[in-house]
Amino acid sequence: MSTATPANLLEFDLDGLAAFCERLGEKRFRATQLFRWIHQRGADDFGQMSDLAKSLRGKLEGCATVRALPVVAQHMSQDGTIKWLFDVGAGDAVEAVFIPEDDRGTLCISSQAGCAVGCRFCSTGHQGFSRNLTTGEILAQLWFAEHFLRRHLGTAERVVSNVVMMGMGEPLQNYAALVPALRVMLDDHGYGLSRRRVTVSTSGVVPMIDRLAQDCPVALAVSLHAPGDALRDKLVPLNRKYPLDELMAACQRYLAHAPRDFITFEYCMLDGVNDQPEHARELIALVERHRTQGVWCKFNLIPFNPFPASGLKRSGAPQVAAFARLLADAGIVTTVRKTRGDDIDAACGQLAGDVKDRTRVAQRIALQRQVPLQPAGGLAAGG
């Protein structure tokens, strides 16, 4: 009997699963059936997969598994936002957040345990970087959330309509694992999401923006946060490697392949740092300098969610409104993001929570392994 570790089928996009099945002597249509069982139906027991040949089910039992991530904690906000903390081993954990709205259900997914970029206003960055997630660990967040939510809400319909790679980590610094995960999200035999409804957020890894445009163009959001290089160098250290003019040029190149005709620029509003009228005027000049078409970008102004190590404060509502008005008067489409899930540390920039204390996380993981979380039929107690 083989002692090899069973392959986790969450690690494969459809082509990868077809290659795996071919090694078992099976044709591609069997891989498609298997893919649907896993992602569309949420099955993790090969015995449930009734339309697979019994011989294939027997082969899979011996060499494969559908292995999700253990859930360390689950919290629900008063506004309906749900946050999960997943154990990824070695004392590391990552978070995913589901945000329900009237016309959509958005899942925010992590791509790394920690983050190496170190943006000054982001608590995840203050945690430091541990490792990249695998394709299966990225997809396991969606797999769990989608099928948990269907059971919880009592529906057979798809619940997650939008995915944003805006959780912990810089997705484009984990490119090899990211792209197969995106392909599963988009695949009609998988989650069948529109390219317009899958968003990769980046702090500006220019070469990988160009690669994504060729390999798997989805909606792109760029964490901008400053109108000039001097300030952005301080807020987003990656800017020292890929300054603003290079980043703006990459965004324009991306538009030739993107499913939308605009790039979203995320802009965290920091009191007295980047929220003054002169900053708005510099942003307008930046947009105009790189304009090659009418509306080529949109701004999303994000309320800062304070944490002690940052030394920063949230801009006041009047200041945010005045800033937004200056951009809008210049013809730039501008929205102010509504803060969601901040009572459970699930809002933008807060995805570290207990993770920032890795000793505490290791203790919580050890405890969870001894006392399993309640099964997916009901929500765990919030905290």
Side-chain angles (χ1 to χ4, degrees), residues 178-230:
L178 171 70
V179 170
L182 294 177
R183 288 175 175 153
V184 175
M185 296 175 198
L186 301 173
D187 199 303
D188 287 340
H189 299 296
Y191 298 92
L193 297 174
S194 161
R195 290 181 184 272
R196 296 170 61 90
R197 291 180 174 267
V198 176
T199 301
V200 170
S201 177
T202 178
S203 51
V205 189
V206 167
M208 310 318 289
I209 291 174
D210 288 328
R211 282 190 61 182
L212 187 66
Q214 300 296 324
D215 294 340
C216 192
V218 292
L220 187 69
V222 175
S223 296
L224 199 65
H225 310 302
D229 285 321

Side-chain angles (χ1 to χ4, degrees), residues 265-301:
F265 288 126
E266 308 281 355
Y267 197 93
C268 186
M269 299 295 291
L270 306 170
D271 184 39
V273 176
N274 65 354
D275 63 348
Q276 299 302 298
E278 58 266 29
H279 296 124
R281 288 190 284 271
E282 287 181 61
L283 277 178
I284 294 165
L286 180 68
V287 168
E288 290 301 321
R289 188 163 72 248
H290 291 276
R291 185 189 299 275
T292 60
Q293 60 186 67
V295 176
W296 73 275
C297 66
K298 296 185 177 182
F299 273 83
N300 191 2
L301 306 184

Side-chain angles (χ1 to χ4, degrees), residues 116-133:
V117 176
C119 296
R120 187 180 163 193
F121 47 83
C122 179
S123 65
T124 304
H126 282 260
Q127 171 195 342
F129 175 74
S130 183
R131 69 171 177 87
N132 286 326
L133 300 187

Side-chain angles (χ1 to χ4, degrees), residues 18-318:
F20 178 81
C21 287
E22 184 178 353
R23 292 193 293 273
L24 298 179
E26 301 289 340
K27 294 183 178 179
R28 185 181 178 94
F29 82 93
R30 292 298 188 194
T32 301
Q33 289 177 310
L34 181 56
F35 197 73
R36 288 172 176 167
W37 273 105
I38 295 168
H39 295 291
Q40 292 185 351
R41 302 192 190 185
D44 59 1
D45 179 354
F46 300 125
Q48 298 174 359
M49 303 180 184
S50 54
D51 62 351
L52 293 185
K54 187 175 292 187
S55 59
L56 173 55
R57 282 182 271 166
K59 293 176 187 176
L60 292 171
E61 292 286 358
C63 67
T65 185
V66 179
R67 187 170 59 253
L69 295 172
V71 179
V72 179
Q74 177 176 260
H75 303 294
M76 176 173 276
S77 169
Q78 294 179 355
D79 62 22
T81 299
I82 304 175
K83 181 177 75 169
W84 294 282
L85 182 68
F86 294 101
D87 175 7
V88 294
D92 288 318
V94 299
E95 292 177 322
V97 178
F98 175 69
I99 305 166
E101 298 180 78
D102 291 341
D103 61 343
R104 71 188 69 183
T106 300
L107 184 69
C108 181
I109 290 179
S110 294
S111 57
Q112 297 177 316
C115 184
V117 176
C119 296
R120 187 180 163 193
F121 47 83
C122 179
S123 65
T124 304
H126 282 260
Q127 171 195 342
F129 175 74
S130 183
R131 69 171 177 87
N132 286 326
L133 300 187
T134 68
T135 295
E137 289 169 334
I138 294 171
L139 283 171
Q141 298 167 68
L142 173 57
W143 184 87
F144 174 86
E146 175 63 36
H147 299 293
F148 166 82
L149 289 165
R150 288 186 194 181
R151 291 189 295 269
H152 176 63
L153 298 173
T155 180
E157 300 299 318
R158 184 171 66 193
V159 179
V160 176
S161 63
N162 294 60
V163 170
V164 291
M165 298 300 306
M166 295 183 183
M168 296 168 64
E170 164 54 67
L172 295 186
Q173 289 184 338
N174 188 15
Y175 192 81
L178 171 70
V179 170
L182 294 177
R183 288 175 175 153
V184 175
M185 296 175 198
L186 301 173
D187 199 303
D188 287 340
H189 299 296
Y191 298 92
L193 297 174
S194 161
R195 290 181 184 272
R196 296 170 61 90
R197 291 180 174 267
V198 176
T199 301
V200 170
S201 177
T202 178
S203 51
V205 189
V206 167
M208 310 318 289
I209 291 174
D210 288 328
R211 282 190 61 182
L212 187 66
Q214 300 296 324
D215 294 340
C216 192
V218 292
L220 187 69
V222 175
S223 296
L224 199 65
H225 310 302
D229 285 321
L231 179 55
R232 195 166 190 267
D233 284 351
K234 297 176 182 177
L235 296 177
V236 185
L238 191 68
N239 193 73
R240 298 165 193 159
K241 187 171 185 179
Y242 306 113
L244 275 172
D245 281 343
E246 289 185 28
L247 176 57
M248 295 296 107
C251 289
Q252 285 292 349
R253 292 192 295 271
Y254 195 87
L255 284 173
H257 306 273
R260 292 176 171 171
D261 57 1
F262 62 88
I263 303 292
T264 298
F265 288 126
E266 308 281 355
Y267 197 93
C268 186
M269 299 295 291
L270 306 170
D271 184 39
V273 176
N274 65 354
D275 63 348
Q276 299 302 298
E278 58 266 29
H279 296 124
R281 288 190 284 271
E282 287 181 61
L283 277 178
I284 294 165
L286 180 68
V287 168
E288 290 301 321
R289 188 163 72 248
H290 291 276
R291 185 189 299 275
T292 60
Q293 60 186 67
V295 176
W296 73 275
C297 66
K298 296 185 177 182
F299 273 83
N300 191 2
L301 306 184
I302 305 170
F304 172 60
N305 293 296
F307 58 99
S310 70
L312 299 168
K313 296 180 180 179
R314 177 184 292 190
S315 300

